Amino acid sequence: MSGLTLTMLMTACSGSEKPGDMLIGSWVSEYNDIVTFEKDGRCTAPFTYNASWWESADHYTVKEDGTLVLSSSEGHAGGSYEKVDTEEEALDDGSMYYLDKDKLIIEEDVYTRTK
């Protein structure tokens, strides 16, 4: 078997990217707010802060349709965000988010990937 064939087989069998994989990493806004998405589903999302309960979302999932769901361990903070194809849509509606390689727009704020 040639090296090229082996490489192609390994790539094909390595598994496909999950809907939330592009989110993984740390993001910083122009206001220096930091959002982090971990591979294991944990996150820090200060824009979800619920002052009544002193908590923010600490877990996330991305549904097959791209919807981002944030939740807290105690159940008092979070949100659901529909994925959109344009920056303009996400900047105009806080219930939507836009994701590109190094840009995340959520809650009408722009975040840039830091790592």
Side-chain angles (χ1 to χ4, degrees):
M1 185 177 295
S2 75
L4 178 60
T5 304
L6 184 58
T7 301
M8 289 173 58
L9 282 172
M10 288 173 58
T11 302
C13 296
S14 65
S16 60
E17 187 173 284
K18 295 178 184 173
D21 286 352
M22 280 185 62
L23 278 171
I24 296 170
S26 292
W27 305 81
V28 63
S29 76
E30 61 187 322
Y31 307 107
N32 291 318
D33 292 328
I34 297 173
V35 177
T36 304
F37 296 95
E38 303 288 342
K39 190 173 189 172
D40 65 2
R42 290 179 296 134
C43 69
T44 57
F47 57 83
T48 63
Y49 182 69
N50 181 332
S52 299
W53 296 97
W54 290 36
E55 67 181 277
S56 295
D58 54 12
H59 290 86
Y60 77 99
T61 58
V62 179
K63 295 181 178 182
E64 287 298 320
D65 67 358
T67 300
L68 171 63
V69 180
L70 299 169
S71 60
S72 63
S73 298
E74 299 297 319
H76 303 292
S80 180
Y81 304 87
E82 178 185 345
K83 186 174 184 186
V84 292
D85 295 325
T86 67
E87 295 180 29
E88 292 76 20
E89 288 175 284
L91 288 169
D92 288 340
D93 188 334
S95 68
M96 299 179 176
Y97 78 102
Y98 170 83
L99 177 62
D100 197 3
K101 182 180 177 186
D102 293 321
K103 183 183 284 187
L104 169 66
I105 301 173
I106 191 163
E107 290 283 326
E108 300 177 23
D109 285 327
V110 178
Y111 291 80
T112 304
R113 185 183 301 275
T114 61
K115 61 177 181 174

